[in-house]
Amino acid sequence: MMISGKLFRDAVISGANNISNNRLAVDELNVFPVPDGDTGTNMYMTVSNALAELKQASDAITVADAAKLTASAMLRGARGNSGVILSLIFRGLSKGLAGQTEADAKLLSDAFKLGVDAAYKSVMKPTEGTILTVVREAWENTKGMAKPGGDSAEFLRAFIAEGEKSLEKTPELLPALKKAGVVDAGGKGLLVILEGMLEVISGGSVIRSHEETKPSAPAAVAAAGAAEEEIHFGYCTEFIVNKQQGAKDATALRAFLETIGDCVVVVDDDDIIKVHVHSDHPGKAIEEGLKFGSLTRIKIENMREQHNNLIKADETVQKNRRVPVEPEKEFGFVAVAAGPGVESLFRDLGADSIVRGGQTMNPSTEDILEAIGQTPAHNVFVLPNNKNIIMAAEQAVALADRNVCVLQSRTIPQGISALMSFDPGADFVTNRSNMTEALGRVQSGQITYAVRDSEYDGHKIKQGEILAMDNGRIVFTEKDVTKALTKLTKRLVSGSSSYITVIYGSDVTDEAANAAYEQLRARISDNIDINLVNGGQPVYYYIISVE
């Protein structure tokens, strides 16, 4: 059987519906016990991004055009690492079927090879025992049977069968899968989609979706997007102190600033002190700063006026969401964040656009691309702030109409540290180097909870236990959130640590956070400054930054 454009169109729709019906089962295959079981959902949302256009496509469409339409939409809709890899496999199919009216087994096999190559190239250090292994071994073990004029349905059936064999072996390649007693979620998701496609290609009907609508997606928003917050202090004041010889410790400056305002950020380097504060008396902040040295790059902004302007600008942005704005400055920033306090912190540090997302809510390449387009700068730095968002962000680089650099920030603290290291007086290459270097200077901790029983990295974990994560790695479990916070923070602190920022989430009350802060303050050296921030983030009770 040859695959026509109509058949390919209907097959992809069937595959998308099949992963929709089975995505929760695929989600459950995730072995990492933190709230992160979204592989099936990410893959579904990636492939389903093509559904609207496919359903409108004519029955006369060629297989080349159907594949190209699918690949383009999946690239823009790619979410999470699994979604990006899936989109690259379909991009390979599109390249292999280019110029073809129909596809036989040989064309389909050669196209899958291009997809395998693209998927492997996208990962710096490919891990075997994943979707990469499944698609590669499926192709390697079926390429010999793919002949010109051969039956495409027969080939795809064999391809899936070999993929199933490879999937069953993934626990032998990844010990974490074996301990959890599951197979790789990404590999399973791919086969679920291909099985839905085979149903149509082999002569059956399109699998129907159990749902009428797809899950809501995290949206890219302009910097004004969450501006409807109460402004306690009227002026945002920033400056740099060129430290004079014998200057007092910068903690004294921070202590003073905290008496006149909030959102205090004081970064003490060997020669300079970088200051940020919200207050009603910017003059007092400047006068205090002069006690430590000469001042430069002073910036004072009326936040209430800015707030009103942002709301007006945001209304315009919402009316013209997909129209990129013209660059007006040299540098701009896009940050991925969740929680009003965290979003506000990134905006205060200079982020032009916020993409709402993070753990369990991975934004798509299109979300990130849209935010880049709404950033009025020639050079845009993107801060994914989550390891499962980096690949989707990188796919936006080639699609953007301006120069884009995706910094490899894996955590919120890393993203904050990178922004704090930006120098408006330096060029693009220097800033890229300095901001990348800053990622390694911060220690990141997270306190969350286990969503399932698991054995991970030597830890036996029970559902509901509190998990402490040191730079993304589970290091211990606890019964009490505050105890976990104190223990993890002490672990992150070293002899060179000078300040700690504790960001508390939406599931922590102000009272509980302040009590935890006091306990932490009593157990951490007085030489280390501790700042408490209401981030309002989901998933994580606390995010800890130590520098």
Side-chain angles (χ1 to χ4, degrees):
M1 175 182 288
M2 300 283 282
I3 300 179
S4 65
K6 176 181 182 299
L7 207 57
F8 189 94
R9 177 199 68 187
D10 293 346
V12 174
I13 294 172
S14 183
N17 289 343
N18 204 35
I19 189 66
S20 171
N21 296 340
N22 293 279
R23 71 179 187 269
L24 295 181
V26 176
D27 284 347
E28 286 298 314
L29 295 175
N30 284 269
V31 298
F32 205 46
V34 303
D36 189 35
D38 51 6
T39 298
T41 298
N42 279 343
M43 296 182 83
Y44 160 64
M45 296 181 77
T46 297
V47 67
S48 70
N49 203 57
L51 288 182
E53 293 181 68
L54 285 172
K55 288 177 180 178
Q56 292 177 4
S58 163
D59 287 354
I61 191 172
T62 65
V63 72
D65 288 342
K68 182 178 181 180
L69 185 156
T70 301
S72 177
M74 287 179 65
L75 171 63
R76 291 176 174 272
R79 297 176 188 274
N81 294 343
S82 56
V84 172
I85 292 173
L86 178 67
S87 74
L88 292 172
I89 291 171
F90 273 81
R91 187 194 294 181
L93 288 174
S94 175
K95 288 182 177 180
L97 300 177
Q100 303 297 320
T101 302
E102 296 181 316
D104 59 16
K106 176 61 174 171
L107 280 171
L108 192 57
S109 175
D110 290 347
F112 266 117
K113 175 59 167 61
L114 294 178
V116 171
D117 291 344
Y120 267 87
K121 286 178 183 177
S122 71
V123 182
M124 188 173 297
K125 295 180 179 179
T127 300
E128 298 299 340
T130 65
I131 182 176
L132 296 174
T133 306
V134 173
V135 69
R136 175 179 57 79
E137 292 188 343
W139 175 77
E140 288 176 344
N141 295 329
T142 55
K143 61 182 179 180
M145 65 168 289
K147 307 298 182 183
D151 189 323
S152 295
E154 183 181 341
F155 167 77
L156 186 57
R157 185 176 292 106
F159 189 96
I160 294 170
E162 291 299 327
E164 291 284 0
K165 293 177 184 177
S166 179
L167 182 68
E168 290 303 313
K169 293 187 294 183
T170 55
E172 302 303 319
L173 298 174
L174 280 179
L177 296 176
K178 190 169 187 177
K179 286 182 180 179
V182 297
V183 294
D184 176 66
K188 179 62 176 178
L190 171 64
L191 295 178
V192 168
I193 292 169
L194 294 180
E195 286 165 357
M197 294 179 67
L198 178 62
E199 181 68 21
V200 171
I201 292 172
S202 61
S205 57
V206 173
I207 292 174
R208 296 178 63 85
S209 173
H210 295 165
E211 297 182 5
E212 301 254 333
T213 59
K214 64 181 182 181
S216 60
V221 296
E228 296 180 12
E229 56 192 62
E230 182 180 358
I231 297 178
H232 299 288
F233 297 98
Y235 298 92
C236 175
T237 305
E238 297 180 28
F239 55 84
I240 291 177
V241 182
N242 292 314
K243 291 165 66 174
Q244 63 192 14
Q245 190 172 4
K248 293 185 295 183
D249 191 282
T251 55
L253 177 57
R254 175 189 284 273
F256 172 81
L257 295 175
E258 287 179 343
T259 67
I260 66 167
D262 65 6
C263 294
V264 176
V265 179
V266 176
V267 180
D268 186 9
D269 204 348
D270 291 338
D271 302 312
I272 66 169
I273 305 171
K274 196 168 184 179
V275 175
H276 171 279
V277 61
H278 293 176
S279 77
D280 285 328
H281 304 284
K284 291 183 178 180
I286 290 171
E287 286 293 331
E288 192 68 19
L290 285 168
K291 296 178 182 179
F292 292 77
S294 62
L295 306 188
T296 184
R297 295 182 188 165
I298 301 172
K299 184 175 73 170
I300 301 172
E301 294 179 335
N302 185 320
M303 293 172 61
R304 293 188 175 92
E305 180 181 272
Q306 197 175 47
H307 173 82
N308 293 331
N309 291 339
L310 283 173
I311 291 176
K312 293 177 182 177
D314 192 46
E315 291 173 353
T316 302
V317 168
Q318 296 305 319
K319 292 177 182 177
N320 305 280
R321 276 183 68 82
R322 298 187 182 278
V323 179
V325 300
E326 289 297 321
E328 299 174 351
K329 57 183 179 177
E330 193 65 21
F331 300 107
F333 303 92
V334 171
V336 180
V342 178
E343 293 175 23
S344 179
L345 183 56
F346 274 106
R347 289 196 300 275
D348 288 342
L349 292 175
D352 299 271
S353 301
I354 303 294
V355 180
R356 290 177 184 159
Q359 195 75 3
T360 75
M361 44 189 291
N362 301 153
S364 69
T365 294
E366 190 165 31
D367 291 329
I368 296 168
L369 179 64
E370 185 174 312
I372 292 169
Q374 295 299 322
T375 302
H378 295 285
N379 300 285
V380 179
F381 290 100
V382 178
L383 298 160
N385 302 328
N386 185 290
K387 66 179 182 179
N388 205 36
I389 298 174
I390 292 174
M391 287 184 70
E394 289 176 334
Q395 298 306 303
V397 174
L399 302 173
D401 63 350
R402 58 207 69 193
N403 184 43
V404 177
C405 173
V406 178
L407 296 169
Q408 306 289 298
S409 58
R410 293 169 172 260
T411 65
I412 293 297
Q414 284 189 339
I416 292 171
S417 180
L419 269 179
M420 291 292 295
S421 299
F422 173 72
D423 181 355
D427 60 20
F428 173 79
V429 173
T430 301
N431 270 310
R432 181 179 61 190
S433 176
N434 290 344
M435 295 171 76
T436 299
E437 183 181 342
L439 302 180
R441 292 201 300 264
V442 62
Q443 299 296 312
S444 304
Q446 295 93 18
I447 303 296
T448 185
Y449 58 94
V451 295
R452 62 177 66 85
D453 291 347
S454 177
E455 183 173 334
Y456 187 84
D457 200 20
H459 300 277
K460 289 188 176 180
I461 298 167
K462 295 293 184 182
Q463 182 177 351
E465 280 189 310
I466 304 303
L467 303 179
M469 300 171 63
D470 178 342
N471 291 287
R473 185 170 61 91
I474 298 173
V475 288
F476 64 84
T477 62
E478 257 292 351
K479 302 295 184 185
D480 181 79
V481 173
T482 301
K483 287 182 179 178
L485 170 65
T486 302
K487 185 176 176 181
L488 179 59
T489 305
K490 292 178 70 176
R491 177 188 175 96
L492 295 171
V493 168
S494 67
S496 61
S497 301
S498 58
Y499 60 95
I500 299 168
T501 301
V502 177
I503 306 171
Y504 63 97
S506 58
D507 292 327
V508 180
T509 65
D510 293 342
E511 293 76 15
N514 284 306
Y517 170 83
E518 293 300 331
Q519 290 191 36
L520 189 60
R521 179 71 277 173
R523 290 167 173 77
I524 298 294
S525 169
D526 291 337
N527 295 325
I528 300 177
D529 193 39
I530 305 176
N531 190 30
L532 183 67
V533 176
N534 182 354
Q537 71 274 5
V539 180
Y540 297 118
Y541 297 116
Y542 291 99
I543 297 173
I544 310 154
S545 171
V546 178
E547 293 194 63

